[in-house]
Amino acid sequence: MASNFLLFQVASVCALLGMTLGWRGVMTRYSGFYDLPTAWSNVFWGILIGGFYGSLTHNFIVIPYLELIQNDKAEVVNPLNLLLLCLLASVAVHLLLRRDRVRRGSSQPTSGWALGLAMGGMMAMVFILRILETFEISPQTVITILCLGLFGPRCEALISSFQGHLMLQGKRWGAVLRGTFWRCSYVVMFAFALVNPSGWIFIIPATLIFNKSSEAWIWDSLPKEGKKRLRKIWARNARQQIADDSVVVGSQSDAISQGE
């Protein structure tokens, strides 16, 4: 068995990879049009809260579930633990996204995305470390580790960004309740996927579907002037791309003519 330090490094790299891809997939698209310093401050808070959230979820949800699978005489996981942990996480997200610096720039969805990426990354790291310490390396465990690293941060980012989107619409405590429901759902599915990779058949499509909606949440949080400037930039880039493609096609045609 590899040393604990090596296992921690592998778990950290997988989680950081998922966080990086999650950031590049959404936040870089709107870079310069949202409050980036506030988003980065929420990454710090997400790492802090996510460490406790991931550890408590591991101790009170994952371990009892694995013991139940391995030993039929073990106690069933207490659903109140799941509800309480997810409710506390949703309340923590709510309190961070209602700060003045977040509300002043209407950046609840973008700050929620950054916060969720860090929280989900920490949870994914804890889960991956648990897999490496418990199970033998096999194609099944490799698939589970890769999926946890890629989709763990993104799932939490989607939930936190959705919660911020609802807060932007004035649905404060309704956002907390919906966030709690979705967190309970994905924690249960992630725990199930640790022992049965078929759980990813349900997790991945749902993540990809909601990922398309996340761009609309981010877009709604941008100011009107920012939207106008962004549309102009996208239109200019599209025209430049068309012009570049025309130049390439023309060069190829000239080369073919000279060859003939």
Side-chain angles (χ1 to χ4, degrees), residues 26-27 30 33-35 102-113 161 164-169 214-227:
V26 175
M27 302 294 277
Y30 301 96
F33 294 89
Y34 60 88
D35 190 352
V102 177
R103 290 185 295 175
R104 189 163 48 245
S106 299
S107 58
Q108 288 93 332
T110 53
S111 295
W113 186 273
S161 182
H165 172 68
L166 294 177
M167 293 176 65
L168 191 61
Q169 295 180 337
S214 64
E215 295 191 5
W217 305 336
I218 304 298
W219 179 259
D220 290 340
S221 67
L222 300 180
K224 292 183 179 179
E225 290 299 324
K227 292 178 180 178

PDB file of all heavy atoms in Angstrom, residues 26-27 30 33-35 102-113 161 164-169 214-227:
ATOM      1  N   VAL A  26     -16.753  27.849 -17.299  1.00  0.00           N
ATOM      2  CA  VAL A  26     -17.787  28.862 -17.119  1.00  0.00           C
ATOM      3  C   VAL A  26     -17.193  30.234 -16.826  1.00  0.00           C
ATOM      4  O   VAL A  26     -17.478  31.211 -17.512  1.00  0.00           O
ATOM      5  CB  VAL A  26     -18.755  28.458 -15.979  1.00  0.00           C
ATOM      6  CG1 VAL A  26     -19.755  29.571 -15.711  1.00  0.00           C
ATOM      7  CG2 VAL A  26     -19.495  27.180 -16.331  1.00  0.00           C
ATOM      8  N   MET A  27     -16.328  30.296 -15.826  1.00  0.00           N
ATOM      9  CA  MET A  27     -15.852  31.596 -15.354  1.00  0.00           C
ATOM     10  C   MET A  27     -14.976  32.310 -16.375  1.00  0.00           C
ATOM     11  O   MET A  27     -15.010  33.532 -16.482  1.00  0.00           O
ATOM     12  CB  MET A  27     -15.084  31.411 -14.042  1.00  0.00           C
ATOM     13  CG  MET A  27     -15.908  30.763 -12.937  1.00  0.00           C
ATOM     14  SD  MET A  27     -17.273  31.796 -12.377  1.00  0.00           S
ATOM     15  CE  MET A  27     -16.421  32.850 -11.209  1.00  0.00           C
ATOM     16  N   TYR A  30     -16.800  34.480 -19.147  1.00  0.00           N
ATOM     17  CA  TYR A  30     -17.277  35.810 -18.780  1.00  0.00           C
ATOM     18  C   TYR A  30     -16.198  36.592 -18.028  1.00  0.00           C
ATOM     19  O   TYR A  30     -16.507  37.514 -17.265  1.00  0.00           O
ATOM     20  CB  TYR A  30     -18.533  35.703 -17.916  1.00  0.00           C
ATOM     21  CG  TYR A  30     -19.659  34.971 -18.599  1.00  0.00           C
ATOM     22  CD1 TYR A  30     -19.867  33.606 -18.382  1.00  0.00           C
ATOM     23  CD2 TYR A  30     -20.498  35.623 -19.491  1.00  0.00           C
ATOM     24  CE1 TYR A  30     -20.897  32.935 -19.018  1.00  0.00           C
ATOM     25  CE2 TYR A  30     -21.527  34.954 -20.137  1.00  0.00           C
ATOM     26  CZ  TYR A  30     -21.713  33.599 -19.895  1.00  0.00           C
ATOM     27  OH  TYR A  30     -22.723  32.935 -20.531  1.00  0.00           O
ATOM     28  N   PHE A  33     -16.047  40.533 -16.695  1.00  0.00           N
ATOM     29  CA  PHE A  33     -17.392  41.100 -16.597  1.00  0.00           C
ATOM     30  C   PHE A  33     -18.087  40.742 -15.295  1.00  0.00           C
ATOM     31  O   PHE A  33     -19.295  40.914 -15.166  1.00  0.00           O
ATOM     32  CB  PHE A  33     -18.239  40.631 -17.783  1.00  0.00           C
ATOM     33  CG  PHE A  33     -17.748  41.152 -19.104  1.00  0.00           C
ATOM     34  CD1 PHE A  33     -16.810  40.435 -19.828  1.00  0.00           C
ATOM     35  CD2 PHE A  33     -18.191  42.362 -19.600  1.00  0.00           C
ATOM     36  CE1 PHE A  33     -16.338  40.912 -21.045  1.00  0.00           C
ATOM     37  CE2 PHE A  33     -17.721  42.847 -20.807  1.00  0.00           C
ATOM     38  CZ  PHE A  33     -16.791  42.117 -21.529  1.00  0.00           C
ATOM     39  N   TYR A  34     -17.343  40.224 -14.343  1.00  0.00           N
ATOM     40  CA  TYR A  34     -17.887  39.965 -13.016  1.00  0.00           C
ATOM     41  C   TYR A  34     -16.805  40.305 -11.994  1.00  0.00           C
ATOM     42  O   TYR A  34     -15.648  40.580 -12.348  1.00  0.00           O
ATOM     43  CB  TYR A  34     -18.339  38.505 -12.873  1.00  0.00           C
ATOM     44  CG  TYR A  34     -17.245  37.484 -13.083  1.00  0.00           C
ATOM     45  CD1 TYR A  34     -16.433  37.056 -12.042  1.00  0.00           C
ATOM     46  CD2 TYR A  34     -17.016  36.921 -14.340  1.00  0.00           C
ATOM     47  CE1 TYR A  34     -15.423  36.131 -12.235  1.00  0.00           C
ATOM     48  CE2 TYR A  34     -16.017  35.987 -14.544  1.00  0.00           C
ATOM     49  CZ  TYR A  34     -15.227  35.598 -13.489  1.00  0.00           C
ATOM     50  OH  TYR A  34     -14.236  34.679 -13.679  1.00  0.00           O
ATOM     51  N   ASP A  35     -17.176  40.285 -10.731  1.00  0.00           N
ATOM     52  CA  ASP A  35     -16.264  40.685  -9.650  1.00  0.00           C
ATOM     53  C   ASP A  35     -15.311  39.525  -9.346  1.00  0.00           C
ATOM     54  O   ASP A  35     -15.623  38.652  -8.537  1.00  0.00           O
ATOM     55  CB  ASP A  35     -17.084  41.066  -8.408  1.00  0.00           C
ATOM     56  CG  ASP A  35     -16.227  41.732  -7.336  1.00  0.00           C
ATOM     57  OD1 ASP A  35     -15.002  41.749  -7.496  1.00  0.00           O
ATOM     58  OD2 ASP A  35     -16.806  42.207  -6.348  1.00  0.00           O
ATOM     59  N   VAL A 102     -20.883  41.007  -2.188  1.00  0.00           N
ATOM     60  CA  VAL A 102     -21.455  40.129  -3.205  1.00  0.00           C
ATOM     61  C   VAL A 102     -22.718  40.738  -3.781  1.00  0.00           C
ATOM     62  O   VAL A 102     -22.906  40.797  -5.007  1.00  0.00           O
ATOM     63  CB  VAL A 102     -21.751  38.738  -2.621  1.00  0.00           C
ATOM     64  CG1 VAL A 102     -22.409  37.841  -3.664  1.00  0.00           C
ATOM     65  CG2 VAL A 102     -20.474  38.083  -2.114  1.00  0.00           C
ATOM     66  N   ARG A 103     -23.590  41.234  -2.903  1.00  0.00           N
ATOM     67  CA  ARG A 103     -24.853  41.798  -3.374  1.00  0.00           C
ATOM     68  C   ARG A 103     -24.651  43.102  -4.139  1.00  0.00           C
ATOM     69  O   ARG A 103     -25.415  43.425  -5.045  1.00  0.00           O
ATOM     70  CB  ARG A 103     -25.787  42.032  -2.190  1.00  0.00           C
ATOM     71  CG  ARG A 103     -26.307  40.745  -1.559  1.00  0.00           C
ATOM     72  CD  ARG A 103     -27.309  41.035  -0.474  1.00  0.00           C
ATOM     73  NE  ARG A 103     -26.704  41.743   0.664  1.00  0.00           N
ATOM     74  CZ  ARG A 103     -27.398  42.194   1.700  1.00  0.00           C
ATOM     75  NH1 ARG A 103     -28.712  42.037   1.732  1.00  0.00           N
ATOM     76  NH2 ARG A 103     -26.776  42.795   2.698  1.00  0.00           N
ATOM     77  N   ARG A 104     -23.613  43.858  -3.779  1.00  0.00           N
ATOM     78  CA  ARG A 104     -23.369  45.148  -4.430  1.00  0.00           C
ATOM     79  C   ARG A 104     -23.119  44.977  -5.922  1.00  0.00           C
ATOM     80  O   ARG A 104     -23.532  45.817  -6.725  1.00  0.00           O
ATOM     81  CB  ARG A 104     -22.193  45.841  -3.749  1.00  0.00           C
ATOM     82  CG  ARG A 104     -21.982  47.267  -4.198  1.00  0.00           C
ATOM     83  CD  ARG A 104     -21.097  48.044  -3.245  1.00  0.00           C
ATOM     84  NE  ARG A 104     -19.882  47.311  -2.909  1.00  0.00           N
ATOM     85  CZ  ARG A 104     -19.599  46.873  -1.682  1.00  0.00           C
ATOM     86  NH1 ARG A 104     -20.446  47.079  -0.685  1.00  0.00           N
ATOM     87  NH2 ARG A 104     -18.459  46.229  -1.442  1.00  0.00           N
ATOM     88  N   GLY A 105     -22.449  43.920  -6.294  1.00  0.00           N
ATOM     89  CA  GLY A 105     -22.173  43.670  -7.707  1.00  0.00           C
ATOM     90  C   GLY A 105     -23.096  42.666  -8.352  1.00  0.00           C
ATOM     91  O   GLY A 105     -22.864  42.260  -9.495  1.00  0.00           O
ATOM     92  N   SER A 106     -24.153  42.240  -7.627  1.00  0.00           N
ATOM     93  CA  SER A 106     -25.096  41.221  -8.126  1.00  0.00           C
ATOM     94  C   SER A 106     -24.349  39.978  -8.615  1.00  0.00           C
ATOM     95  O   SER A 106     -24.691  39.391  -9.649  1.00  0.00           O
ATOM     96  CB  SER A 106     -25.963  41.800  -9.259  1.00  0.00           C
ATOM     97  OG  SER A 106     -26.726  42.893  -8.798  1.00  0.00           O
ATOM     98  N   SER A 107     -23.341  39.593  -7.855  1.00  0.00           N
ATOM     99  CA  SER A 107     -22.464  38.497  -8.273  1.00  0.00           C
ATOM    100  C   SER A 107     -22.743  37.206  -7.504  1.00  0.00           C
ATOM    101  O   SER A 107     -21.845  36.394  -7.327  1.00  0.00           O
ATOM    102  CB  SER A 107     -20.998  38.904  -8.098  1.00  0.00           C
ATOM    103  OG  SER A 107     -20.725  39.250  -6.749  1.00  0.00           O
ATOM    104  N   GLN A 108     -23.979  37.028  -7.068  1.00  0.00           N
ATOM    105  CA  GLN A 108     -24.297  35.805  -6.340  1.00  0.00           C
ATOM    106  C   GLN A 108     -24.060  34.539  -7.168  1.00  0.00           C
ATOM    107  O   GLN A 108     -23.485  33.569  -6.655  1.00  0.00           O
ATOM    108  CB  GLN A 108     -25.757  35.828  -5.840  1.00  0.00           C
ATOM    109  CG  GLN A 108     -26.028  36.782  -4.697  1.00  0.00           C
ATOM    110  CD  GLN A 108     -26.500  38.144  -5.161  1.00  0.00           C
ATOM    111  OE1 GLN A 108     -26.159  38.569  -6.265  1.00  0.00           O
ATOM    112  NE2 GLN A 108     -27.278  38.826  -4.354  1.00  0.00           N
ATOM    113  N   PRO A 109     -24.477  34.495  -8.441  1.00  0.00           N
ATOM    114  CA  PRO A 109     -24.229  33.271  -9.229  1.00  0.00           C
ATOM    115  C   PRO A 109     -22.748  32.992  -9.459  1.00  0.00           C
ATOM    116  O   PRO A 109     -22.299  31.845  -9.338  1.00  0.00           O
ATOM    117  CB  PRO A 109     -24.962  33.543 -10.549  1.00  0.00           C
ATOM    118  CG  PRO A 109     -26.030  34.523 -10.192  1.00  0.00           C
ATOM    119  CD  PRO A 109     -25.405  35.398  -9.158  1.00  0.00           C
ATOM    120  N   THR A 110     -21.956  34.031  -9.806  1.00  0.00           N
ATOM    121  CA  THR A 110     -20.538  33.801 -10.048  1.00  0.00           C
ATOM    122  C   THR A 110     -19.793  33.474  -8.756  1.00  0.00           C
ATOM    123  O   THR A 110     -18.927  32.595  -8.731  1.00  0.00           O
ATOM    124  CB  THR A 110     -19.900  35.034 -10.711  1.00  0.00           C
ATOM    125  OG1 THR A 110     -20.189  36.213  -9.932  1.00  0.00           O
ATOM    126  CG2 THR A 110     -20.439  35.229 -12.114  1.00  0.00           C
ATOM    127  N   SER A 111     -20.121  34.190  -7.678  1.00  0.00           N
ATOM    128  CA  SER A 111     -19.502  33.883  -6.386  1.00  0.00           C
ATOM    129  C   SER A 111     -19.918  32.502  -5.911  1.00  0.00           C
ATOM    130  O   SER A 111     -19.119  31.769  -5.324  1.00  0.00           O
ATOM    131  CB  SER A 111     -19.889  34.943  -5.353  1.00  0.00           C
ATOM    132  OG  SER A 111     -19.378  36.210  -5.697  1.00  0.00           O
ATOM    133  N   GLY A 112     -21.183  32.140  -6.175  1.00  0.00           N
ATOM    134  CA  GLY A 112     -21.645  30.803  -5.810  1.00  0.00           C
ATOM    135  C   GLY A 112     -20.914  29.717  -6.589  1.00  0.00           C
ATOM    136  O   GLY A 112     -20.610  28.654  -6.038  1.00  0.00           O
ATOM    137  N   TRP A 113     -20.636  29.990  -7.858  1.00  0.00           N
ATOM    138  CA  TRP A 113     -19.896  29.010  -8.667  1.00  0.00           C
ATOM    139  C   TRP A 113     -18.490  28.798  -8.101  1.00  0.00           C
ATOM    140  O   TRP A 113     -18.036  27.658  -7.947  1.00  0.00           O
ATOM    141  CB  TRP A 113     -19.822  29.474 -10.115  1.00  0.00           C
ATOM    142  CG  TRP A 113     -19.213  28.472 -11.029  1.00  0.00           C
ATOM    143  CD1 TRP A 113     -17.893  28.312 -11.307  1.00  0.00           C
ATOM    144  CD2 TRP A 113     -19.891  27.453 -11.770  1.00  0.00           C
ATOM    145  NE1 TRP A 113     -17.698  27.277 -12.183  1.00  0.00           N
ATOM    146  CE2 TRP A 113     -18.909  26.725 -12.485  1.00  0.00           C
ATOM    147  CE3 TRP A 113     -21.228  27.088 -11.904  1.00  0.00           C
ATOM    148  CZ2 TRP A 113     -19.235  25.660 -13.316  1.00  0.00           C
ATOM    149  CZ3 TRP A 113     -21.556  26.029 -12.738  1.00  0.00           C
ATOM    150  CH2 TRP A 113     -20.569  25.330 -13.428  1.00  0.00           C
ATOM    151  N   SER A 161     -24.242  27.915  -7.410  1.00  0.00           N
ATOM    152  CA  SER A 161     -24.568  28.957  -8.383  1.00  0.00           C
ATOM    153  C   SER A 161     -26.081  29.086  -8.546  1.00  0.00           C
ATOM    154  O   SER A 161     -26.617  30.203  -8.659  1.00  0.00           O
ATOM    155  CB  SER A 161     -23.920  28.643  -9.729  1.00  0.00           C
ATOM    156  OG  SER A 161     -24.185  29.659 -10.671  1.00  0.00           O
ATOM    157  N   GLY A 164     -27.332  30.940  -5.629  1.00  0.00           N
ATOM    158  CA  GLY A 164     -27.080  32.362  -5.810  1.00  0.00           C
ATOM    159  C   GLY A 164     -28.026  32.990  -6.815  1.00  0.00           C
ATOM    160  O   GLY A 164     -28.450  34.141  -6.654  1.00  0.00           O
ATOM    161  N   HIS A 165     -28.360  32.254  -7.868  1.00  0.00           N
ATOM    162  CA  HIS A 165     -29.307  32.745  -8.868  1.00  0.00           C
ATOM    163  C   HIS A 165     -30.674  32.987  -8.242  1.00  0.00           C
ATOM    164  O   HIS A 165     -31.323  34.013  -8.519  1.00  0.00           O
ATOM    165  CB  HIS A 165     -29.403  31.735 -10.008  1.00  0.00           C
ATOM    166  CG  HIS A 165     -30.478  32.026 -11.010  1.00  0.00           C
ATOM    167  ND1 HIS A 165     -30.430  33.107 -11.862  1.00  0.00           N
ATOM    168  CD2 HIS A 165     -31.646  31.376 -11.287  1.00  0.00           C
ATOM    169  CE1 HIS A 165     -31.507  33.117 -12.631  1.00  0.00           C
ATOM    170  NE2 HIS A 165     -32.257  32.075 -12.298  1.00  0.00           N
ATOM    171  N   LEU A 166     -31.122  32.076  -7.399  1.00  0.00           N
ATOM    172  CA  LEU A 166     -32.407  32.259  -6.722  1.00  0.00           C
ATOM    173  C   LEU A 166     -32.355  33.431  -5.750  1.00  0.00           C
ATOM    174  O   LEU A 166     -33.332  34.185  -5.614  1.00  0.00           O
ATOM    175  CB  LEU A 166     -32.783  30.975  -5.979  1.00  0.00           C
ATOM    176  CG  LEU A 166     -33.075  29.745  -6.845  1.00  0.00           C
ATOM    177  CD1 LEU A 166     -33.368  28.535  -5.970  1.00  0.00           C
ATOM    178  CD2 LEU A 166     -34.249  30.003  -7.781  1.00  0.00           C
ATOM    179  N   MET A 167     -31.233  33.603  -5.075  1.00  0.00           N
ATOM    180  CA  MET A 167     -31.080  34.746  -4.169  1.00  0.00           C
ATOM    181  C   MET A 167     -31.123  36.058  -4.941  1.00  0.00           C
ATOM    182  O   MET A 167     -31.660  37.064  -4.460  1.00  0.00           O
ATOM    183  CB  MET A 167     -29.777  34.626  -3.396  1.00  0.00           C
ATOM    184  CG  MET A 167     -29.737  33.473  -2.409  1.00  0.00           C
ATOM    185  SD  MET A 167     -28.126  33.290  -1.606  1.00  0.00           S
ATOM    186  CE  MET A 167     -28.053  34.843  -0.675  1.00  0.00           C
ATOM    187  N   LEU A 168     -30.571  36.073  -6.143  1.00  0.00           N
ATOM    188  CA  LEU A 168     -30.598  37.262  -6.984  1.00  0.00           C
ATOM    189  C   LEU A 168     -32.028  37.621  -7.368  1.00  0.00           C
ATOM    190  O   LEU A 168     -32.344  38.801  -7.589  1.00  0.00           O
ATOM    191  CB  LEU A 168     -29.751  37.027  -8.234  1.00  0.00           C
ATOM    192  CG  LEU A 168     -29.444  38.235  -9.120  1.00  0.00           C
ATOM    193  CD1 LEU A 168     -28.650  39.282  -8.345  1.00  0.00           C
ATOM    194  CD2 LEU A 168     -28.671  37.809 -10.359  1.00  0.00           C
ATOM    195  N   GLN A 169     -32.895  36.630  -7.432  1.00  0.00           N
ATOM    196  CA  GLN A 169     -34.301  36.849  -7.744  1.00  0.00           C
ATOM    197  C   GLN A 169     -35.140  37.133  -6.502  1.00  0.00           C
ATOM    198  O   GLN A 169     -36.357  37.284  -6.600  1.00  0.00           O
ATOM    199  CB  GLN A 169     -34.873  35.630  -8.472  1.00  0.00           C
ATOM    200  CG  GLN A 169     -34.243  35.387  -9.833  1.00  0.00           C
ATOM    201  CD  GLN A 169     -34.816  34.170 -10.529  1.00  0.00           C
ATOM    202  OE1 GLN A 169     -35.365  33.266  -9.881  1.00  0.00           O
ATOM    203  NE2 GLN A 169     -34.708  34.130 -11.838  1.00  0.00           N
ATOM    204  N   SER A 214     -26.346  26.836 -16.317  1.00  0.00           N
ATOM    205  CA  SER A 214     -25.476  27.679 -15.502  1.00  0.00           C
ATOM    206  C   SER A 214     -25.043  28.936 -16.247  1.00  0.00           C
ATOM    207  O   SER A 214     -24.868  30.001 -15.638  1.00  0.00           O
ATOM    208  CB  SER A 214     -24.235  26.888 -15.052  1.00  0.00           C
ATOM    209  OG  SER A 214     -23.448  26.505 -16.165  1.00  0.00           O
ATOM    210  N   GLU A 215     -24.864  28.848 -17.570  1.00  0.00           N
ATOM    211  CA  GLU A 215     -24.474  30.023 -18.328  1.00  0.00           C
ATOM    212  C   GLU A 215     -25.575  31.076 -18.298  1.00  0.00           C
ATOM    213  O   GLU A 215     -25.289  32.281 -18.280  1.00  0.00           O
ATOM    214  CB  GLU A 215     -24.137  29.631 -19.761  1.00  0.00           C
ATOM    215  CG  GLU A 215     -22.911  28.733 -19.883  1.00  0.00           C
ATOM    216  CD  GLU A 215     -22.450  28.578 -21.311  1.00  0.00           C
ATOM    217  OE1 GLU A 215     -23.034  29.250 -22.192  1.00  0.00           O
ATOM    218  OE2 GLU A 215     -21.500  27.812 -21.549  1.00  0.00           O
ATOM    219  N   ALA A 216     -26.833  30.645 -18.285  1.00  0.00           N
ATOM    220  CA  ALA A 216     -27.947  31.600 -18.173  1.00  0.00           C
ATOM    221  C   ALA A 216     -27.957  32.262 -16.799  1.00  0.00           C
ATOM    222  O   ALA A 216     -28.266  33.450 -16.679  1.00  0.00           O
ATOM    223  CB  ALA A 216     -29.279  30.891 -18.433  1.00  0.00           C
ATOM    224  N   TRP A 217     -27.601  31.504 -15.742  1.00  0.00           N
ATOM    225  CA  TRP A 217     -27.540  32.094 -14.404  1.00  0.00           C
ATOM    226  C   TRP A 217     -26.451  33.154 -14.338  1.00  0.00           C
ATOM    227  O   TRP A 217     -26.662  34.233 -13.781  1.00  0.00           O
ATOM    228  CB  TRP A 217     -27.278  31.019 -13.350  1.00  0.00           C
ATOM    229  CG  TRP A 217     -28.248  29.886 -13.368  1.00  0.00           C
ATOM    230  CD1 TRP A 217     -29.523  29.903 -13.848  1.00  0.00           C
ATOM    231  CD2 TRP A 217     -28.020  28.549 -12.900  1.00  0.00           C
ATOM    232  NE1 TRP A 217     -30.105  28.663 -13.724  1.00  0.00           N
ATOM    233  CE2 TRP A 217     -29.205  27.820 -13.140  1.00  0.00           C
ATOM    234  CE3 TRP A 217     -26.936  27.899 -12.308  1.00  0.00           C
ATOM    235  CZ2 TRP A 217     -29.336  26.480 -12.794  1.00  0.00           C
ATOM    236  CZ3 TRP A 217     -27.057  26.565 -11.964  1.00  0.00           C
ATOM    237  CH2 TRP A 217     -28.247  25.859 -12.203  1.00  0.00           C
ATOM    238  N   ILE A 218     -25.292  32.856 -14.916  1.00  0.00           N
ATOM    239  CA  ILE A 218     -24.191  33.815 -14.913  1.00  0.00           C
ATOM    240  C   ILE A 218     -24.561  35.036 -15.751  1.00  0.00           C
ATOM    241  O   ILE A 218     -24.295  36.180 -15.363  1.00  0.00           O
ATOM    242  CB  ILE A 218     -22.896  33.181 -15.445  1.00  0.00           C
ATOM    243  CG1 ILE A 218     -22.528  31.921 -14.638  1.00  0.00           C
ATOM    244  CG2 ILE A 218     -21.765  34.182 -15.428  1.00  0.00           C
ATOM    245  CD1 ILE A 218     -22.244  32.171 -13.190  1.00  0.00           C
ATOM    246  N   TRP A 219     -25.190  34.797 -16.892  1.00  0.00           N
ATOM    247  CA  TRP A 219     -25.569  35.885 -17.781  1.00  0.00           C
ATOM    248  C   TRP A 219     -26.545  36.840 -17.100  1.00  0.00           C
ATOM    249  O   TRP A 219     -26.438  38.067 -17.248  1.00  0.00           O
ATOM    250  CB  TRP A 219     -26.177  35.321 -19.063  1.00  0.00           C
ATOM    251  CG  TRP A 219     -26.621  36.353 -20.044  1.00  0.00           C
ATOM    252  CD1 TRP A 219     -27.892  36.799 -20.262  1.00  0.00           C
ATOM    253  CD2 TRP A 219     -25.791  37.082 -20.952  1.00  0.00           C
ATOM    254  NE1 TRP A 219     -27.913  37.741 -21.237  1.00  0.00           N
ATOM    255  CE2 TRP A 219     -26.638  37.942 -21.683  1.00  0.00           C
ATOM    256  CE3 TRP A 219     -24.428  37.084 -21.219  1.00  0.00           C
ATOM    257  CZ2 TRP A 219     -26.151  38.798 -22.661  1.00  0.00           C
ATOM    258  CZ3 TRP A 219     -23.939  37.935 -22.186  1.00  0.00           C
ATOM    259  CH2 TRP A 219     -24.792  38.782 -22.895  1.00  0.00           C
ATOM    260  N   ASP A 220     -27.496  36.317 -16.366  1.00  0.00           N
ATOM    261  CA  ASP A 220     -28.479  37.168 -15.687  1.00  0.00           C
ATOM    262  C   ASP A 220     -27.843  38.056 -14.625  1.00  0.00           C
ATOM    263  O   ASP A 220     -28.408  39.099 -14.266  1.00  0.00           O
ATOM    264  CB  ASP A 220     -29.563  36.304 -15.037  1.00  0.00           C
ATOM    265  CG  ASP A 220     -30.462  35.636 -16.060  1.00  0.00           C
ATOM    266  OD1 ASP A 220     -30.500  36.115 -17.214  1.00  0.00           O
ATOM    267  OD2 ASP A 220     -31.116  34.627 -15.714  1.00  0.00           O
ATOM    268  N   SER A 221     -26.694  37.660 -14.101  1.00  0.00           N
ATOM    269  CA  SER A 221     -26.048  38.443 -13.043  1.00  0.00           C
ATOM    270  C   SER A 221     -25.205  39.591 -13.598  1.00  0.00           C
ATOM    271  O   SER A 221     -24.772  40.457 -12.831  1.00  0.00           O
ATOM    272  CB  SER A 221     -25.154  37.542 -12.189  1.00  0.00           C
ATOM    273  OG  SER A 221     -24.048  37.052 -12.929  1.00  0.00           O
ATOM    274  N   LEU A 222     -24.983  39.614 -14.921  1.00  0.00           N
ATOM    275  CA  LEU A 222     -24.167  40.675 -15.509  1.00  0.00           C
ATOM    276  C   LEU A 222     -24.995  41.953 -15.665  1.00  0.00           C
ATOM    277  O   LEU A 222     -26.180  41.897 -15.992  1.00  0.00           O
ATOM    278  CB  LEU A 222     -23.639  40.240 -16.874  1.00  0.00           C
ATOM    279  CG  LEU A 222     -22.748  38.993 -16.917  1.00  0.00           C
ATOM    280  CD1 LEU A 222     -22.323  38.711 -18.352  1.00  0.00           C
ATOM    281  CD2 LEU A 222     -21.531  39.158 -16.026  1.00  0.00           C
ATOM    282  N   PRO A 223     -24.386  43.122 -15.481  1.00  0.00           N
ATOM    283  CA  PRO A 223     -25.101  44.381 -15.717  1.00  0.00           C
ATOM    284  C   PRO A 223     -25.394  44.571 -17.205  1.00  0.00           C
ATOM    285  O   PRO A 223     -24.766  43.937 -18.063  1.00  0.00           O
ATOM    286  CB  PRO A 223     -24.132  45.445 -15.188  1.00  0.00           C
ATOM    287  CG  PRO A 223     -22.788  44.797 -15.245  1.00  0.00           C
ATOM    288  CD  PRO A 223     -23.014  43.339 -14.990  1.00  0.00           C
ATOM    289  N   LYS A 224     -26.343  45.452 -17.507  1.00  0.00           N
ATOM    290  CA  LYS A 224     -26.751  45.658 -18.897  1.00  0.00           C
ATOM    291  C   LYS A 224     -25.586  46.127 -19.768  1.00  0.00           C
ATOM    292  O   LYS A 224     -25.422  45.665 -20.903  1.00  0.00           O
ATOM    293  CB  LYS A 224     -27.895  46.676 -18.957  1.00  0.00           C
ATOM    294  CG  LYS A 224     -29.203  46.161 -18.358  1.00  0.00           C
ATOM    295  CD  LYS A 224     -30.308  47.185 -18.518  1.00  0.00           C
ATOM    296  CE  LYS A 224     -31.615  46.663 -17.946  1.00  0.00           C
ATOM    297  NZ  LYS A 224     -32.717  47.657 -18.078  1.00  0.00           N
ATOM    298  N   GLU A 225     -24.788  47.055 -19.247  1.00  0.00           N
ATOM    299  CA  GLU A 225     -23.655  47.539 -20.026  1.00  0.00           C
ATOM    300  C   GLU A 225     -22.655  46.417 -20.298  1.00  0.00           C
ATOM    301  O   GLU A 225     -22.071  46.328 -21.381  1.00  0.00           O
ATOM    302  CB  GLU A 225     -22.977  48.694 -19.290  1.00  0.00           C
ATOM    303  CG  GLU A 225     -23.795  49.972 -19.246  1.00  0.00           C
ATOM    304  CD  GLU A 225     -24.086  50.506 -20.644  1.00  0.00           C
ATOM    305  OE1 GLU A 225     -23.206  50.391 -21.525  1.00  0.00           O
ATOM    306  OE2 GLU A 225     -25.188  51.026 -20.865  1.00  0.00           O
ATOM    307  N   GLY A 226     -22.459  45.579 -19.302  1.00  0.00           N
ATOM    308  CA  GLY A 226     -21.558  44.452 -19.480  1.00  0.00           C
ATOM    309  C   GLY A 226     -22.061  43.488 -20.548  1.00  0.00           C
ATOM    310  O   GLY A 226     -21.270  42.959 -21.345  1.00  0.00           O
ATOM    311  N   LYS A 227     -23.373  43.258 -20.577  1.00  0.00           N
ATOM    312  CA  LYS A 227     -23.945  42.378 -21.588  1.00  0.00           C
ATOM    313  C   LYS A 227     -23.752  42.946 -22.985  1.00  0.00           C
ATOM    314  O   LYS A 227     -23.433  42.217 -23.932  1.00  0.00           O
ATOM    315  CB  LYS A 227     -25.431  42.156 -21.298  1.00  0.00           C
ATOM    316  CG  LYS A 227     -25.721  41.360 -20.043  1.00  0.00           C
ATOM    317  CD  LYS A 227     -27.217  41.230 -19.819  1.00  0.00           C
ATOM    318  CE  LYS A 227     -27.500  40.428 -18.554  1.00  0.00           C
ATOM    319  NZ  LYS A 227     -28.949  40.317 -18.273  1.00  0.00           N
TER     320      LYS A 227
END
